[in-house]
């Protein structure tokens, strides 16, 4: 069986031959460090920075480590702002920090020698006038959003080694990228009509892109969404608001996917997602990814007990053990074994591998997983 066949068998609770060792990429700084240490080449580090997941560089690094493939093996139409804003420096400060308008129109503070996410300090999307003049024109359907020839030439399911997903975009997480967390929260109270219009506009554009991709006849093994609308204590969006305004779009998307025999639908949402899980499940999203362990100890176990086998998962492997030693890896794998035995679950580092990870410890994890005995 190919990796693709094994993955689909696991997620459908069927017999499989080999348990896949799945990756979700790395911080760019991680690869820079590993290149300096001589574990990988500088070309591989730069190639990943340039081209990202599933690039030749990513595949080369995965091979060195022992990963079989990256779950983020997704293809997508241009379902976001097109074109994006040109990144613009608005102010340079004496300490070297800069106030920048990024490609999404968000105003952020970038600090020198800081590798975390820039601090949000404002947005260009402050009112309906800005929405209609600056954003709405960039969120209209155009034929050029879908490269039909590219999708027609995707290898068929029978001829490929790894599963390939169709990235459906984002139904509210992208809106958070445009507004920032603070303005996203205020807008629902200040102008509910505009709040809903932005959700509907992004969702309807994404749906049209999805329809056009599927019309090409391209075959996909799963569909995937990105949201990132939770933090360590729960959702950044009120669950009832999510259920009222976002869930109907999910239902529409997943109904279309089902018509094309795509029944594994995953969502990438960081943070504590517990209060949104039932809403996703009710609307056709059945696979949680990457299941951040975090300080809140997320795990597929309690969800499976509550929701049954309809809920699948990819992730939930506590990547912090990579900064420790082989013994910590052994303990983590022992923790994961009973979860794996539930079926419908594939461990994967719970987010991108951080710069404190030791190359040889990650290698050890991959080797142990390659020889996993259940």
């Amino acid at each position: 069986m190919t990796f693709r066949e094994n993955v689909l068998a696991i997620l459908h609770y069927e017999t499989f031959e080999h348990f896949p060792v799945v990756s979700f990429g790395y911080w760019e700084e991680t690869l820079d460090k590993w290149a300096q240490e001589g574990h990988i080449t500088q070309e591989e580090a730069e190639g990943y920075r340039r081209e990202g997941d599933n690039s030749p560089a990513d595949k080369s690094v995965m091979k060195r480590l022992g990963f079989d493939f990256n779950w983020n093996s997704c293809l997508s139409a241009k379902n976001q702002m097109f074109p994006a804003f040109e990144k613009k420096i608005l102010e340079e400060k004496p300490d070297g920090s800069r106030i920048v308008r990024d490609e999404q129109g968000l105003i952020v503070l970038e600090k020198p020698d800081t590798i975390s996410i820039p601090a949000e300090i404002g947005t260009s999307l402050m009112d309906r006038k800005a929405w209609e003049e600056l954003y709405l024109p960039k969120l209209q359907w155009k034929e050029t959003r879908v490269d039909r020839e590219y999708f027609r030439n995707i290898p068929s399911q029978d001829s490929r080694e790894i599963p390939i997903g169709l990235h459906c975009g984002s139904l509210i997480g992208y809106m958070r990228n445009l507004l920032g967390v603070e303005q996203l929260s205020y807008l629902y109270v200040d102008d509910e009509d505009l709040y809903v219009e932005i959700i509907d506009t992004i969702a309807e554009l994404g749906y049209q892109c999805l329809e056009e991709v599927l019309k090409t006849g391209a075959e996909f093994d799963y569909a995937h969404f990105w949201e990132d609308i939770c933090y360590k204590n729960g959702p950044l969006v009120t669950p009832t608001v999510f259920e009222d305004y976002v869930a109907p779009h999910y239902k529409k998307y997943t109904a279309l996917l089902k018509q094309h025999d795509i029944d594994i639908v995953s969502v990438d949402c960081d943070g504590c997602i517990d209060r949104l899980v039932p809403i996703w499940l009710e609307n056709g999203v059945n696979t949680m990814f990457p299941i951040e362990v975090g300080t809140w100890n997320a795990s597929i176990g309690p969800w499976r007990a509550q929701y049954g086998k309809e809920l699948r998962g990819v992730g939930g492997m506590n990547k912090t053990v990579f900064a420790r030693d082989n013994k910590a890896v052994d303990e983590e794998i022992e923790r994961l074994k009973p979860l794996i035995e539930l079926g419908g679950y594939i461990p994967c580092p719970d987010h991108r591998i951080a710069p404190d990870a030791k190359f040889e410890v990650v290698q050890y994890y991959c080797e142990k997983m390659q020889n996993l005995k259940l």
Side-chain angles (χ1 to χ4, degrees), residues 39-55:
H39 299 297
I40 66 171
T41 67
Q42 191 60 47
E43 288 76 16
E44 287 168 329
E46 291 171 0
Y48 185 81
R49 176 178 282 105
R50 197 168 51 245
E51 299 176 31
D53 293 331
N54 289 296
S55 62

Side-chain angles (χ1 to χ4, degrees), residues 15-252:
T15 303
F16 60 93
E17 292 178 354
H18 174 76
F19 205 85
V21 187
V22 179
S23 165
F24 183 31
Y26 338 82
W27 290 30
E28 293 172 359
E29 292 77 11
T30 306
L31 297 191
D32 289 338
K33 185 191 82 166
W34 288 349
Q36 291 167 8
E37 293 171 348
H39 299 297
I40 66 171
T41 67
Q42 191 60 47
E43 288 76 16
E44 287 168 329
E46 291 171 0
Y48 185 81
R49 176 178 282 105
R50 197 168 51 245
E51 299 176 31
D53 293 331
N54 289 296
S55 62
D58 183 22
K59 292 174 183 176
S60 179
V61 174
M62 282 194 289
K63 186 174 180 180
R64 292 178 186 272
L65 289 166
F67 286 112
D68 293 325
F69 70 93
N70 186 325
W71 181 258
N72 203 28
S73 302
C74 296
L75 306 177
S76 176
K78 294 174 181 174
N79 50 27
Q80 298 186 352
M81 281 202 305
F82 181 55
F85 288 107
E86 182 178 349
K87 186 173 180 178
K88 184 177 181 181
I89 299 171
L90 303 179
E91 181 183 347
E92 296 198 51
K93 295 180 174 289
D95 64 358
S97 61
R98 306 184 303 179
I99 297 176
V100 174
R101 185 192 71 182
D102 70 12
E103 292 85 352
Q104 313 305 327
L106 204 60
I107 312 302
V108 299
L109 177 65
E110 294 182 349
K111 296 182 179 179
D113 303 319
T114 300
I115 61 175
S116 63
I117 298 170
E120 299 171 0
I121 57 175
T123 177
S124 305
L125 211 178
M126 291 300 296
D127 52 28
R128 177 168 287 279
K129 184 173 185 292
W131 163 248
E132 292 179 351
E133 292 181 0
L134 300 177
Y135 290 80
L136 192 56
K138 295 175 179 287
L139 289 164
Q140 300 302 304
W141 164 253
K142 296 177 182 178
E143 292 289 330
T144 50
R145 286 184 175 274
V146 176
D147 185 340
R148 291 168 177 78
E149 193 62 26
Y150 172 78
F151 283 104
R152 289 191 191 104
N153 287 314
I154 294 170
S156 66
Q157 289 174 320
D158 292 339
S159 65
R160 61 194 187 220
E161 179 72 12
I162 67 170
I164 293 179
L166 172 55
H167 204 299
C168 301
S170 170
L171 301 183
I172 193 167
Y174 183 57
M175 179 177 171
R176 188 220 70 195
N177 279 1
L178 303 181
L179 287 160
V181 173
E182 184 176 349
Q183 181 65 2
L184 178 70
S185 303
Y186 279 123
L187 184 62
Y188 177 69
V189 177
D190 293 342
D191 192 340
E192 186 177 350
D193 289 342
L194 178 57
Y195 185 95
V196 175
E197 182 180 328
I198 295 172
I199 291 172
D200 289 347
T201 299
I202 293 170
E204 287 163 13
L205 171 61
Y207 186 84
Q208 189 160 4
C209 288
L210 183 63
E211 274 190 314
E212 294 301 319
V213 170
L214 291 170
K215 283 178 184 177
T216 68
E219 297 176 331
F220 298 95
D221 301 302
Y222 64 99
H224 189 59
F225 291 87
W226 175 88
E227 292 298 3
D228 278 13
I229 49 167
C230 296
Y231 73 123
K232 68 177 183 177
N233 292 327
L236 295 165
V237 178
T238 305
T240 53
V241 172
F242 186 83
E243 186 167 24
D244 289 344
Y245 298 124
V246 184
H249 291 294
Y250 269 107
K251 192 168 188 177
K252 183 179 176 182

Side-chain angles (χ1 to χ4, degrees), residues 253-267:
Y253 275 60
T254 56
L256 176 62
L257 292 167
K258 231 174 233 187
Q259 291 173 21
H260 291 265
D261 299 320
I262 302 171
D263 64 349
I264 298 296
V265 183
S266 63
V267 60

